[in-house]
Amino acid sequence: MRLISYKRTSWIKRGFWLGALAMIAFASVPSIINGDLRHDFIVNLVPICILGGLWFYFLRKSKVHLLADEVFDCDDHLTVRRGKMEESVPFSNISAVDVSTNTLSRISVRLLSPTGLAEAIEFLPEYVPKSKPWSVAGITRVAAELSARADRARGERRT
């Protein structure tokens, strides 16, 4: 069993949500301290709501909350954990493996039949400082290896 996802993904996810809450708190604290919030409630609440709406849009668009916390390669299946849910995904259930190299490089494993987690499992690839760079070539290699193993497993299942 080998961890193939970034081990601090849950910290990154918490950091995004806590960052959003911290920005809203920093925007609202001055009006709370000087008492303006009580006197001009609507005037002070509108910018806070706009900031909250922008953060909510950004978080939903980046889909950070959908990332798997841990993905283990267990030779014949993947063990995926997101929050308290843990699920085993056999390689024969994997239809495709894609790589996204946007701001957060991620690997997306699409499934033939959905599991309790989702129809696709997305995770940040493993990163080991000073030994392996977080490069597109490294991420693509991991995705190609997973895809080849899934193709072999689907071929064995048919015979």
Side-chain angles (χ1 to χ4, degrees):
M1 183 160 57
R2 179 177 70 96
L3 181 69
I4 61 172
S5 65
Y6 185 54
K7 64 183 174 183
R8 294 198 174 112
T9 302
S10 60
W11 291 16
I12 290 173
K13 290 165 58 173
R14 281 189 214 121
F16 270 89
W17 288 107
L18 290 175
L21 292 175
M23 286 190 68
I24 291 170
F26 285 134
S28 62
V29 164
S31 60
I32 292 172
I33 289 175
N34 67 15
D36 285 346
L37 189 62
R38 277 185 270 140
H39 300 296
D40 298 322
F41 183 74
I42 299 297
V43 172
N44 288 302
L45 187 64
V46 168
I48 294 169
C49 289
I50 291 172
L51 182 63
L54 288 173
W55 262 104
F56 181 75
Y57 172 78
F58 170 73
L59 289 172
R60 297 296 283 178
K61 190 79 172 160
S62 68
K63 298 181 181 178
V64 172
H65 61 285
L66 295 177
L67 291 174
D69 293 336
E70 290 179 333
V71 178
F72 288 98
D73 182 357
C74 302
D75 295 330
D76 63 337
H77 67 279
L78 295 177
T79 301
V80 181
R81 187 183 66 78
R82 187 169 67 207
K84 293 180 181 177
M85 292 181 62
E86 188 169 311
E87 185 118 4
S88 290
V89 178
F91 277 105
S92 59
N93 190 23
I94 296 174
S95 67
V97 180
D98 301 319
V99 176
S100 172
T101 56
N102 294 339
T103 53
L104 281 176
S105 297
R106 60 181 80 188
I107 295 176
S108 178
V109 177
R110 286 184 281 153
L111 306 174
L112 292 171
S113 59
T115 64
L117 293 173
E119 294 177 1
I121 298 165
E122 291 188 348
F123 64 94
L124 299 176
E126 178 185 22
Y127 174 70
V128 181
K130 297 182 183 175
S131 65
K132 277 198 279 189
W134 226 352
S135 67
V136 174
I139 295 168
T140 306
R141 182 183 46 76
V142 171
E145 179 185 316
L146 290 174
S147 183
R149 290 171 63 194
D151 290 342
R152 280 194 307 268
R154 280 194 315 273
E156 289 173 3
R157 186 177 74 170
R158 288 183 199 142
T159 58

